[in-house]
Amino acid sequence: MKNQRILLALFLIYFVFAILLNSVGTVILQVINNYGVSKSGASILEAFKDLPIAVVSFLVASFLPRLGYKNAMLVGLAIVSAACVAMPLLPGFATAKLLFLCVGVAFALVKVSVYSTLGLIATDRRHHASIMNTLEGVFMVGVLSAYWVFAHFIDSSNPQSQSWLQVYWVLAGLCALTFVLLLTTRFDESDAQLPPGRSRWEDFTAMFKLFSKPLVCVFVLTAFLYVLIEQSVGTWLPTFNNEILKLPAAMSVQVASIFAACLALGRLSAGVIMRKVHWYTVMNGCVIGMAVVVLLALPLTRDLAIDANVSWANAPLATFLFPLIGLFMAPIYPGINSVMLSSLPKNQHSCMTGLLVIFSALGGTTGSFITGYVFGNFSGHFAFYLTLVPITLVLITLFFFRRQVERSGDAVAQAA
């Protein structure tokens, strides 16, 4: 029962942060309409969100066991609660920038703490993989919810209306509810305690010492490649729908939500499957499934004759087929993260998660940039066919990742 309460708190934390993180596009649209900010000026909100995540993860991940994972999550929730309250009370572009700065800082604290806490409550590797996939599935449900929650408060008939700011009272309330639940839940973090007598400098350098392990090197490369693929598809799918499939702009965005829904469904389903099936079998099947979707869907986008009144009922088959790549993509990220964390001592989970966050951010930025460049200078078809390169590389790195995991397990067994 205690672990179920902890999991509920972790799921709620990830759900509310998914809404806040995924709201940046909506907020950009609203600050342009409400405050007369230019598109280029409003786009800085993305940087206010992403840069603090990487910087704070780099600086504090190794110290979190000293602060305590529960305390770090409480601090993160308190920060975003205050920022959400500020949005309707002090409306303005500066407040929006402050909000996403706070969300970035808080999410860095929360993600490292949540991932590390999973290692404390998981009973074995398969249980860890199961709850990791479920957690990431809940995150994707939050991503989907963000569209609908914000849309409920937006007054489409009056672009100047600031009624959308009232959504932050709801989000502040959800943060406060999660804060209380977390505060009243008992945590046993004794397994995460750092070696006695170790200095803070040694805490910080412990993250870099992880690179001496071949297992860690292969893992961060695999994670980098996976996020590169996910962001390549997720970021540019609306543009692909609009320019290649010739769908209306609004419908292009709506269709892209199928991809997010598939990610959510895939991760929630994998939470059950990975309790019974070996992780390497699942990962290989998923990577091959991604390649099959690319090879089946993209040829269907050639020489399309699109009806001027295209709708969901008469949209081309590729409209619905390509987003299904999310079903196969979904289990890979939480799956490899779980295997990696399960292969390390519990007091190293925060350092490892810090590295994961940093390389995930680098992979996402790289994937979005490369796909955007190829899309603009060559073609959308070529840009999406190009995903077959990192997909193939992931298949290769997974092979070496498994070998290193097995060697790590053999070394632990011999030491015991």
Side-chain angles (χ1 to χ4, degrees):
M1 180 62 72
K2 181 182 71 172
N3 284 352
Q4 290 177 348
R5 185 180 174 93
I6 293 173
L7 283 174
L8 176 60
L10 299 183
F11 291 163
L12 276 174
I13 290 169
Y14 245 47
F15 179 79
V16 70
F17 271 93
I19 295 176
L20 287 165
L21 290 164
N22 194 59
S23 68
V24 63
T26 303
V27 175
I28 285 175
L29 174 64
Q30 294 306 110
V31 299
I32 290 172
N33 291 333
N34 284 179
Y35 310 131
V37 181
S38 67
K39 290 182 175 63
S40 59
S43 67
I44 200 173
L45 292 179
E46 189 79 47
F48 269 86
K49 173 178 69 74
D50 290 339
L51 292 180
I53 294 175
V55 172
V56 174
S57 296
F58 174 74
L59 293 177
V60 308
S62 56
F63 303 118
L64 286 185
R66 295 188 185 277
L67 173 63
Y69 300 139
K70 177 179 176 179
N71 290 335
M73 288 185 278
L74 289 171
V75 169
L77 286 167
I79 290 173
V80 294
S81 297
C84 286
V85 169
M87 282 293 284
L89 293 181
L90 302 168
F93 186 44
T95 309
K97 289 190 283 189
L98 177 64
L99 169 75
F100 285 109
L101 174 65
C102 291
V103 169
V105 170
F107 187 65
L109 297 174
V110 162
K111 182 166 184 174
V112 174
S113 299
V114 168
Y115 269 33
S116 301
T117 302
L118 292 185
L120 299 178
I121 62 178
T123 55
D124 54 39
R125 176 168 284 170
R126 289 194 175 186
H127 184 219
H128 193 287
S130 174
I131 57 178
M132 178 73 81
N133 270 282
T134 305
L135 175 74
E136 292 291 346
V138 170
F139 185 87
M140 294 311 303
V141 171
V143 169
L144 281 173
S145 301
Y147 295 109
W148 301 97
V149 171
F150 273 81
H152 178 74
F153 288 89
I154 293 174
D155 184 356
S156 298
S157 62
N158 180 14
Q160 296 295 321
S161 173
Q162 296 188 3
S163 61
W164 65 280
L165 292 171
Q166 302 308 307
V167 71
Y168 288 102
W169 292 116
V170 177
L171 296 176
L174 186 57
C175 289
L177 174 66
T178 308
F179 183 96
V180 172
L181 174 63
L182 185 63
L183 183 66
T184 56
T185 300
R186 295 183 61 185
F187 274 49
D188 179 8
E189 300 184 30
S190 57
D191 288 343
Q193 295 302 308
L194 298 174
R198 196 167 83 173
S199 68
R200 282 178 166 74
W201 174 249
E202 289 173 319
D203 289 346
F204 183 69
T205 56
M207 182 185 296
F208 303 101
K209 289 179 180 178
L210 284 173
F211 275 112
S212 65
K213 300 177 182 285
L215 171 62
V216 173
C217 295
V218 177
F219 165 71
V220 295
L221 176 59
T222 307
F224 174 90
L225 290 169
Y226 167 80
V227 178
L228 184 150
I229 299 167
E230 183 181 310
Q231 291 301 310
S232 296
V233 174
T235 301
W236 290 97
L237 187 55
T239 305
F240 183 86
N241 292 336
N242 181 242
E243 296 189 8
I244 305 301
L245 300 182
K246 308 302 182 184
L247 302 180
M251 186 176 175
S252 296
V253 175
Q254 293 168 343
V255 168
S257 70
I258 299 175
F259 173 68
C262 288
L263 283 172
L265 180 60
R267 285 177 180 169
L268 292 172
S269 301
V272 177
I273 295 171
M274 293 189 72
R275 280 181 174 269
K276 303 176 181 179
V277 183
H278 192 272
W279 68 269
Y280 185 64
T281 304
V282 176
M283 297 298 100
N284 273 339
C286 289
V287 175
I288 293 170
M290 290 164 57
V292 169
V293 170
V294 172
L295 293 173
L296 288 178
L298 290 184
L300 299 177
T301 64
R302 293 283 186 183
D303 304 319
L304 290 174
I306 303 298
D307 191 320
N309 298 314
V310 64
S311 67
W312 288 85
N314 60 7
L317 178 60
T319 302
F320 308 101
L321 182 58
F322 191 79
L324 296 182
I325 194 174
L327 281 174
F328 299 100
M329 188 182 293
I332 297 175
Y333 186 72
I336 60 174
N337 293 346
S338 174
V339 172
M340 181 68 248
L341 293 174
S342 299
S343 301
L344 292 174
K346 293 178 180 179
N347 60 15
Q348 292 184 350
H349 284 198
S350 60
C351 289
M352 188 66 252
T353 305
L355 285 177
L356 167 65
V357 173
I358 294 167
F359 278 89
S360 294
L362 292 174
T365 301
T366 304
S368 181
F369 174 78
I370 291 175
T371 303
Y373 177 82
V374 175
F375 204 121
N377 291 275
F378 297 92
S379 72
H381 289 100
F382 183 55
F384 274 34
Y385 269 121
L386 205 59
T387 59
L388 291 170
V389 174
I391 287 173
T392 303
L393 292 175
V394 167
L395 197 62
I396 295 170
T397 58
L398 280 173
F399 172 77
F400 290 103
F401 183 47
R402 181 191 184 185
R403 287 182 59 182
Q404 292 300 326
V405 168
E406 291 173 345
R407 289 177 181 175
S408 176
D410 290 342
V412 171
Q414 291 173 6

